[in-house]
């Protein structure tokens, strides 16, 4: 069974992070430039939460806040389940589905070591299925 560590090995564990005092507008510009849907928020150089496009839509736009004045620490999400590299991809898929999440922070020894998205989980699942198909083809032909 594939693990989160397989995803991180394939995509890398680098994360884009900004300080909690960054304005929402600055964060959105960064997310657009990097073509990402979430960004890690730090306080005193430590993980504090994630800012997602969903946070922006629900906590800024719908509440009539200003993107120029609101700091990301005011709207970031902090209640993500903490996953570890040893978790299975299947477990992550279940957690994401049950909690309607698109992103999961990954921690090793309590320190953030990556972020995975639902797209990463789907890609890893497809790759795993393709690998199984190739193994079965090889077995049948031998």
């Amino acid at each position: 069974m594939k693990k989160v560590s397989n995803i991180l090995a394939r995509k890398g564990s680098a994360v884009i992070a900004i300080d909690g005092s960054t304005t929402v507008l600055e964060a959105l510009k960064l997310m657009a430039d990097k073509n990402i849907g979430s960004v890690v928020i730090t306080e005193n150089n430590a993980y504090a939460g994630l800012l997602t496009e969903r946070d922006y839509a629900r906590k800024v736009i719908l509440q009539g806040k200003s993107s120029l004045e609101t700091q990301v620490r005011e709207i970031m999400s902090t209640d993500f389940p903490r996953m570890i590299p040893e978790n299975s991809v299947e477990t992550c898929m279940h957690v994401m589905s049950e909690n309607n999440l698109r992103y999961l922070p990954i921690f090793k020894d309590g320190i953030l070591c990556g972020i995975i998205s639902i797209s990463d989980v789907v890609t890893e699942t497809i790759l795993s299925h393709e690998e199984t198909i190739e193994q079965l083809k090889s077995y049948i032909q031998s």
Side-chain angles (χ1 to χ4, degrees):
M1 183 175 297
K2 297 289 183 168
K3 299 192 178 301
V4 170
S5 57
N6 296 105
I7 294 174
L8 295 177
R10 180 178 43 79
K11 76 175 255 184
S13 58
V15 297
I16 306 295
I18 56 175
D19 186 75
S21 63
T22 305
T23 67
V24 170
L25 184 60
E26 291 174 278
L28 291 172
K29 287 179 180 178
L30 175 65
M31 291 164 67
D33 288 345
K34 301 291 184 182
N35 194 30
I36 54 176
S38 71
V39 64
V40 171
I41 308 302
T42 60
E43 295 286 354
N44 301 315
N45 295 320
Y47 171 84
L50 286 179
L51 176 71
T52 68
E53 292 168 332
R54 186 181 288 173
D55 291 323
Y56 173 68
R58 294 181 180 177
K59 298 174 186 173
V60 176
I61 297 294
L62 291 178
Q63 293 183 13
K65 293 183 178 181
S66 168
S67 299
L68 288 168
E69 298 171 6
T70 305
Q71 294 180 342
V72 293
R73 70 168 52 101
E74 298 173 49
I75 66 162
M76 69 182 177
S77 293
T78 58
D79 56 351
F80 288 94
R82 288 183 171 226
M83 306 305 284
I84 59 174
E86 293 76 26
N87 284 123
S88 71
V89 171
E90 185 178 90
T91 297
C92 291
M93 191 178 300
H94 178 75
V95 167
M96 292 171 117
S97 180
E98 285 286 313
N99 296 290
N100 196 25
L101 299 173
R102 295 181 181 132
Y103 306 96
L104 286 175
I106 310 301
F107 294 86
K108 183 169 185 159
D109 301 323
I111 298 171
L112 182 72
C113 66
I115 300 289
I116 63 169
S117 69
I118 190 67
S119 177
D120 297 326
V121 171
V122 169
T123 298
E124 193 64 36
T125 301
I126 289 169
L127 291 172
S128 180
H129 287 289
E130 288 174 347
E131 185 179 296
T132 300
I133 289 168
E134 288 305 313
Q135 289 173 351
L136 289 171
K137 283 181 182 177
S138 177
Y139 175 75
I140 291 169
Q141 292 173 353
S142 62

